[in-house]
Tab-separated table of all heavy atoms in Angstrom:
chain	number	residue	atom	x	y	z
A	1	VAL	N	-92.030	72.846	-153.311
A	1	VAL	CA	-91.772	73.162	-154.715
A	1	VAL	C	-91.754	74.682	-154.782
A	1	VAL	O	-92.659	75.353	-154.264
A	1	VAL	CB	-92.854	72.588	-155.626
A	1	VAL	CG1	-92.617	73.007	-157.075
A	1	VAL	CG2	-92.928	71.077	-155.516
A	2	LEU	N	-90.678	75.241	-155.367
A	2	LEU	CA	-90.545	76.682	-155.517
A	2	LEU	C	-90.659	77.031	-156.991
A	2	LEU	O	-90.143	76.291	-157.841
A	2	LEU	CB	-89.196	77.150	-154.968
A	2	LEU	CG	-88.835	76.785	-153.544
A	2	LEU	CD1	-87.437	77.275	-153.225
A	2	LEU	CD2	-89.841	77.354	-152.584
A	3	LYS	N	-91.324	78.129	-157.275
A	3	LYS	CA	-91.431	78.590	-158.654
A	3	LYS	C	-90.953	80.014	-158.744
A	3	LYS	O	-91.347	80.858	-157.964
A	3	LYS	CB	-92.880	78.492	-159.133
A	3	LYS	CG	-93.045	78.781	-160.602
A	3	LYS	CD	-94.445	78.504	-161.071
A	3	LYS	CE	-94.637	78.675	-162.550
A	3	LYS	NZ	-93.933	79.799	-163.164
A	4	THR	N	-90.035	80.272	-159.673
A	4	THR	CA	-89.575	81.614	-159.972
A	4	THR	C	-90.163	82.032	-161.304
A	4	THR	O	-91.023	81.325	-161.861
A	4	THR	CB	-88.047	81.663	-160.009
A	4	THR	OG1	-87.587	80.919	-161.121
A	4	THR	CG2	-87.409	81.122	-158.730
A	5	GLU	N	-89.703	83.140	-161.810
A	5	GLU	CA	-90.228	83.584	-163.120
A	5	GLU	C	-90.065	82.529	-164.219
A	5	GLU	O	-90.946	82.305	-165.008
A	5	GLU	CB	-89.514	84.877	-163.521
A	5	GLU	CG	-90.024	85.503	-164.804
A	5	GLU	CD	-89.324	86.810	-165.149
A	5	GLU	OE1	-88.827	87.483	-164.242
A	5	GLU	OE2	-89.273	87.137	-166.343
A	6	ARG	N	-88.898	81.868	-164.254
A	6	ARG	CA	-88.630	80.884	-165.325
A	6	ARG	C	-88.407	79.478	-164.879
A	6	ARG	O	-88.361	78.561	-165.703
A	6	ARG	CB	-87.368	81.328	-166.111
A	6	ARG	CG	-87.452	82.686	-166.737
A	6	ARG	CD	-86.149	83.042	-167.448
A	6	ARG	NE	-85.086	83.180	-166.463
A	6	ARG	CZ	-83.785	83.256	-166.778
A	6	ARG	NH1	-83.403	83.175	-168.027
A	6	ARG	NH2	-82.864	83.372	-165.851
A	7	LEU	N	-88.261	79.274	-163.555
A	7	LEU	CA	-87.788	77.976	-163.067
A	7	LEU	C	-88.725	77.321	-162.092
A	7	LEU	O	-89.510	78.011	-161.407
A	7	LEU	CB	-86.438	78.163	-162.362
A	7	LEU	CG	-85.329	78.823	-163.183
A	7	LEU	CD1	-84.125	79.088	-162.282
A	7	LEU	CD2	-84.945	77.964	-164.369
A	8	ILE	N	-88.643	76.004	-162.001
A	8	ILE	CA	-89.321	75.209	-160.963
A	8	ILE	C	-88.211	74.480	-160.233
A	8	ILE	O	-87.362	73.818	-160.842
A	8	ILE	CB	-90.339	74.236	-161.563
A	8	ILE	CG1	-91.456	74.990	-162.251
A	8	ILE	CG2	-90.890	73.315	-160.488
A	8	ILE	CD1	-92.396	74.132	-163.035
A	9	LEU	N	-88.195	74.599	-158.912
A	9	LEU	CA	-87.237	73.910	-158.076
A	9	LEU	C	-88.028	72.902	-157.208
A	9	LEU	O	-88.991	73.301	-156.568
A	9	LEU	CB	-86.489	74.881	-157.168
A	9	LEU	CG	-85.519	75.847	-157.852
A	9	LEU	CD1	-86.267	77.038	-158.424
A	9	LEU	CD2	-84.476	76.328	-156.864
A	10	ARG	N	-87.593	71.674	-157.223
A	10	ARG	CA	-88.292	70.611	-156.493
A	10	ARG	C	-87.267	69.605	-155.958
A	10	ARG	O	-86.104	69.597	-156.414
A	10	ARG	CB	-89.292	69.910	-157.361
A	10	ARG	CG	-88.716	69.290	-158.590
A	10	ARG	CD	-89.656	68.344	-159.335
A	10	ARG	NE	-89.087	67.879	-160.575
A	10	ARG	CZ	-88.183	66.934	-160.711
A	10	ARG	NH1	-87.673	66.348	-159.613
A	10	ARG	NH2	-87.764	66.550	-161.895
A	11	ALA	N	-87.691	68.760	-155.057
A	11	ALA	CA	-86.843	67.706	-154.541
A	11	ALA	C	-86.493	66.749	-155.662
A	11	ALA	O	-87.284	66.535	-156.596
A	11	ALA	CB	-87.543	66.940	-153.434
A	12	PRO	N	-85.259	66.180	-155.683
A	12	PRO	CA	-84.876	65.246	-156.729
A	12	PRO	C	-85.619	63.923	-156.620
A	12	PRO	O	-85.926	63.476	-155.486
A	12	PRO	CB	-83.387	65.059	-156.520
A	12	PRO	CG	-83.096	65.482	-155.124
A	12	PRO	CD	-84.166	66.457	-154.739
A	13	TRP	N	-85.913	63.333	-157.731
A	13	TRP	CA	-86.573	62.001	-157.789
A	13	TRP	C	-85.591	61.035	-158.415
A	13	TRP	O	-84.711	61.427	-159.187
A	13	TRP	CB	-87.794	62.040	-158.704
A	13	TRP	CG	-88.835	63.068	-158.443
A	13	TRP	CD1	-89.200	63.585	-157.249
A	13	TRP	CD2	-89.678	63.672	-159.409
A	13	TRP	NE1	-90.200	64.509	-157.423
A	13	TRP	CE2	-90.521	64.577	-158.730
A	13	TRP	CE3	-89.791	63.569	-160.785
A	13	TRP	CZ2	-91.488	65.348	-159.370
A	13	TRP	CZ3	-90.764	64.350	-161.454
A	13	TRP	CH2	-91.587	65.212	-160.726
A	14	LEU	N	-85.776	59.764	-158.179
A	14	LEU	CA	-84.955	58.762	-158.832
A	14	LEU	C	-85.118	58.815	-160.357
A	14	LEU	O	-84.200	58.462	-161.086
A	14	LEU	CB	-85.240	57.363	-158.285
A	14	LEU	CG	-84.653	57.088	-156.902
A	14	LEU	CD1	-85.073	55.718	-156.388
A	14	LEU	CD2	-83.128	57.192	-156.928
A	15	ALA	N	-86.260	59.289	-160.831
A	15	ALA	CA	-86.435	59.427	-162.280
A	15	ALA	C	-85.501	60.493	-162.901
A	15	ALA	O	-85.360	60.561	-164.105
A	15	ALA	CB	-87.893	59.803	-162.558
A	16	ASP	N	-84.867	61.273	-162.036
A	16	ASP	CA	-83.931	62.338	-162.512
A	16	ASP	C	-82.508	61.805	-162.735
A	16	ASP	O	-81.645	62.524	-163.225
A	16	ASP	CB	-83.848	63.478	-161.492
A	16	ASP	CG	-85.173	64.197	-161.317
A	16	ASP	OD1	-85.887	64.373	-162.313
A	16	ASP	OD2	-85.467	64.563	-160.156
A	17	VAL	N	-82.254	60.540	-162.373
A	17	VAL	CA	-80.905	60.010	-162.341
A	17	VAL	C	-80.201	60.149	-163.723
A	17	VAL	O	-79.069	60.650	-163.764
A	17	VAL	CB	-80.933	58.536	-161.872
A	17	VAL	CG1	-79.614	57.833	-162.231
A	17	VAL	CG2	-81.170	58.471	-160.385
A	18	LYS	N	-80.810	59.721	-164.766
A	18	LYS	CA	-80.139	59.754	-166.074
A	18	LYS	C	-79.848	61.178	-166.523
A	18	LYS	O	-78.753	61.486	-167.015
A	18	LYS	CB	-81.003	59.045	-167.123
A	18	LYS	CG	-80.961	57.560	-166.992
A	18	LYS	CD	-81.731	56.886	-168.106
A	18	LYS	CE	-81.720	55.384	-167.923
A	18	LYS	NZ	-82.529	54.684	-168.905
A	19	ALA	N	-80.780	62.099	-166.325
A	19	ALA	CA	-80.560	63.480	-166.702
A	19	ALA	C	-79.447	64.094	-165.887
A	19	ALA	O	-78.574	64.806	-166.443
A	19	ALA	CB	-81.849	64.272	-166.547
A	20	MET	N	-79.441	63.821	-164.604
A	20	MET	CA	-78.391	64.383	-163.720
A	20	MET	C	-77.036	63.820	-164.095
A	20	MET	O	-76.019	64.567	-164.166
A	20	MET	CB	-78.689	64.108	-162.267
A	20	MET	CG	-79.811	64.952	-161.706
A	20	MET	SD	-80.151	64.619	-159.974
A	20	MET	CE	-78.620	65.104	-159.237
A	21	ALA	N	-76.947	62.522	-164.329
A	21	ALA	CA	-75.680	61.903	-164.689
A	21	ALA	C	-75.161	62.450	-166.021
A	21	ALA	O	-73.956	62.728	-166.163
A	21	ALA	CB	-75.829	60.380	-164.772
A	22	SER	N	-76.060	62.654	-166.961
A	22	SER	CA	-75.687	63.201	-168.258
A	22	SER	C	-75.108	64.622	-168.117
A	22	SER	O	-74.085	64.975	-168.688
A	22	SER	CB	-76.855	63.176	-169.195
A	22	SER	OG	-76.529	63.801	-170.408
A	23	LEU	N	-75.781	65.461	-167.339
A	23	LEU	CA	-75.323	66.848	-167.161
A	23	LEU	C	-74.035	66.909	-166.351
A	23	LEU	O	-73.108	67.682	-166.716
A	23	LEU	CB	-76.387	67.641	-166.398
A	23	LEU	CG	-77.652	68.036	-167.173
A	23	LEU	CD1	-78.603	68.743	-166.227
A	23	LEU	CD2	-77.320	68.953	-168.346
A	24	ALA	N	-73.969	66.189	-165.210
A	24	ALA	CA	-72.828	66.336	-164.302
A	24	ALA	C	-71.601	65.598	-164.770
A	24	ALA	O	-70.496	65.848	-164.233
A	24	ALA	CB	-73.233	65.854	-162.933
A	25	ASN	N	-71.693	64.762	-165.774
A	25	ASN	CA	-70.506	64.054	-166.285
A	25	ASN	C	-69.743	64.940	-167.258
A	25	ASN	O	-69.507	64.660	-168.418
A	25	ASN	CB	-70.915	62.764	-166.982
A	25	ASN	CG	-69.730	61.894	-167.285
A	25	ASN	OD1	-68.706	61.966	-166.597
A	25	ASN	ND2	-69.824	61.088	-168.332
A	26	ASP	N	-69.385	66.105	-166.745
A	26	ASP	CA	-68.687	67.145	-167.500
A	26	ASP	C	-67.555	67.662	-166.590
A	26	ASP	O	-67.840	68.190	-165.529
A	26	ASP	CB	-69.649	68.239	-167.860
A	26	ASP	CG	-69.050	69.373	-168.702
A	26	ASP	OD1	-67.832	69.654	-168.544
A	26	ASP	OD2	-69.789	69.982	-169.494
């Protein structure tokens, strides 16, 4: 898990599926 000033970067989880699909369907 990486943390920057404003962000957290982590491995993707299956719980992220709906959010990712919503964002990437553009």
Side-chain angles (χ1 to χ4, degrees):
V1 177
L2 306 176
K3 187 172 184 323
T4 67
E5 184 178 333
R6 300 177 295 167
L7 304 173
I8 295 171
L9 292 82
R10 59 167 174 77
W13 307 328
L14 284 175
D16 298 321
V17 163
K18 286 184 182 176
M20 287 180 64
S22 176
L23 286 176
N25 190 27
D26 183 328

